[in-house]
Amino acid sequence: MNALLEIKDLKKYFKTSRGLLHAVDGINFAIERGNTLGVVGESGCGKSTLGRLIVHLLEPTGGKIFFEGRDYTNLSHQALLESRREMQMIFQDPFSSLNPRMTVKDTILEPMSIHGMFGGDQSEQTRHVGNIMDAVGLAGNLANSYPHELDGGRRQRIGIARALALEPKFIVCDEPVSALDVSIQAQILNLMQDIQSERGLTYIFITHDLSVVKHISNDICVMYLGNMVEKCPAKEIFKTNYHPYTRALLSAIPIAKTGVKRERILLKGEISSPIEPKPGCRFAPRCIDAKRDCFETQPDLVEISPRHIVACHLYSNVRAIKK
Ligand code: SF4
């Protein structure tokens, strides 16, 4: 396998007055070069923390991050700076992630200046800004505009352009379309797919909405309270899924065809606390299939079929995969 990124037993715990909050609790996966992994789960499941750990906006509590086979876990200041050229992030809210005092041109130019791209040659850097604006569909006459003068779709195009400025190999896209109108979402998703195939980029695409990642992802990973509960090829998850939480997420997707109905699974019960979590499956208090064992032992990940893994006691007859 030609994995660009591999994470092993990645953890992030935050200290709180009530104990340790397990935001990300032992996640393992690998992404092949040029592929997209969709990471899905409701608010608070740890998906954004996971993205921030990978691009080193947060320090992990434990585990390893490998990028192109090199250990990228604990980087020196210089190595961290260099990693920014390889890995970038696109944020959810383009308005708050952009500096309101910087023009479009300066926003895209800034990372190039910091990293001394093109040997610091400003005319080359300016030419590169023009190329990137063109690539993301921003008209050249917007170069001197400020974020507040533009609509949400154009602002997110600036966010994408800034992420592309250093010509990275890998981008974490954290809910990049959820703050946009539905009509604009499709444009931005198409743009991101075009850029990916032109530049051979690898993405992690974080979202709470499974339907958003349906077409853009090769694989989908479902997270619940810091754990990965199911992962499989994107095409498969919509036909064959195993974890009760994945089924509940899928049942919330509206069906476009008239006359076709899907039974909505409404989750009841309290969400477990991620602070010093109790033993057992974290989904148990909301799971209609929960048995006694579910409240006592955390389920291992098992491989139900090639590349389809799930953590649930309903499938405990399948041998656990090695971590
Ligand atoms: Fe439900 Fe038990 Fe499976 Fe958890 S392990 S998802 S509680 S059946």
Side-chain angles (χ1 to χ4, degrees):
M1 192 172 88
N2 184 18
L4 181 82
L5 176 86
E6 190 169 10
I7 63 169
K8 291 191 174 174
D9 202 20
L10 198 62
K11 295 187 177 95
K12 181 65 186 176
Y13 300 165
F14 294 99
K15 274 187 194 158
T16 74
S17 57
R18 290 191 290 134
L20 286 179
L21 187 154
H22 294 218
V24 170
D25 210 356
I27 301 280
N28 296 277
F29 59 68
I31 311 175
E32 290 179 44
R33 201 178 289 273
N35 279 5
T36 298
L37 174 70
V39 178
V40 186
E42 61 198 342
S43 185
C45 72
K47 57 191 189 305
S48 292
T49 304
L50 175 66
R52 283 170 160 75
L53 286 171
I54 293 170
V55 297
H56 296 93
L57 292 178
L58 289 171
E59 280 291 312
T61 308
K64 290 279 181 194
I65 301 166
F66 295 95
F67 189 76
E68 295 187 311
R70 284 170 287 149
D71 188 343
Y72 254 50
T73 317
N74 300 305
L75 300 176
S76 64
H77 179 72
Q78 184 58 30
L80 184 64
L81 200 64
E82 281 163 20
S83 78
R84 296 272 177 260
R85 292 191 72 151
E86 319 262 28
M87 300 178 167
Q88 282 289 315
M89 188 150 181
I90 298 170
F91 296 91
Q92 175 181 1
D93 183 355
F95 200 56
S96 57
S97 65
L98 298 172
N99 185 336
R101 294 194 185 85
M102 287 174 83
T103 63
V104 173
K105 179 184 161 192
D106 290 343
T107 301
I108 306 169
L109 200 56
E110 186 184 49
M112 290 187 228
S113 305
I114 291 170
H115 287 265
M117 266 183 98
F118 305 109
D121 183 332
Q122 288 189 353
S123 61
E124 274 300 301
Q125 290 176 354
T126 304
R127 189 186 56 78
H128 191 52
V129 169
N131 290 343
I132 294 173
M133 285 182 66
D134 197 34
V136 301
L138 281 170
N141 60 6
L142 298 177
N144 293 317
S145 303
Y146 290 89
H148 72 271
E149 296 173 314
L150 304 174
D151 58 36
R154 287 199 180 89
R155 285 200 289 262
Q156 193 53 294
R157 285 175 198 266
I158 305 171
I160 297 169
R162 186 176 160 96
L164 292 176
L166 297 176
E167 302 186 323
K169 296 173 182 163
F170 170 77
I171 301 181
V172 172
C173 315
D174 187 7
E175 302 259 17
V177 296
S178 49
L180 303 176
D181 290 347
V182 176
S183 57
I184 310 290
Q185 286 186 1
Q187 290 175 21
I188 297 295
L189 287 174
N190 288 340
L191 170 69
M192 292 180 69
Q193 278 184 299
D194 290 345
I195 289 170
Q196 180 175 37
S197 52
E198 280 161 21
R199 296 169 185 244
L201 285 165
T202 306
Y203 290 153
I204 283 185
F205 199 103
I206 294 167
T207 177
H208 63 278
D209 183 352
L210 257 170
S211 59
V212 166
V213 280
K214 187 175 180 179
H215 301 294
I216 200 166
S217 306
N218 300 88
D219 292 308
I220 290 182
C221 153
V222 179
M223 282 184 71
Y224 188 80
L225 280 185
N227 294 147
M228 179 163 77
V229 296
E230 187 157 7
K231 179 172 170 286
C232 69
K235 284 181 192 146
E236 197 170 314
I237 205 163
F238 294 90
K239 293 187 199 130
T240 313
N241 41 75
Y242 296 97
H243 198 281
Y245 178 61
T246 309
R247 290 189 181 151
L249 280 183
L250 282 162
S251 80
I253 300 175
I255 299 176
K257 283 185 196 162
T258 50
V260 180
K261 282 189 185 160
R262 184 193 282 137
E263 196 186 336
R264 178 84 196 262
I265 302 169
L266 290 173
L267 293 175
K268 294 179 185 148
E270 265 190 40
I271 301 176
S272 303
S273 172
I275 300 174
E276 304 291 354
K278 292 178 187 155
C281 171
R282 290 181 192 171
F283 188 57
R286 301 168 84 192
C287 180
I288 50 169
D289 296 309
K291 307 274 185 299
R292 211 176 92 189
D293 197 21
C294 301
F295 291 90
E296 292 168 356
T297 325
Q298 186 164 17
D300 288 322
L301 278 167
V302 296
E303 188 164 32
I304 301 241
S305 59
R307 293 178 56 211
H308 196 146
I309 56 177
V310 62
C312 173
H313 285 309
L314 295 176
Y315 313 100
S316 53
N317 56 333
V318 184
R319 199 150 55 93
I321 60 166
K322 281 186 195 161
K323 285 189 179 169

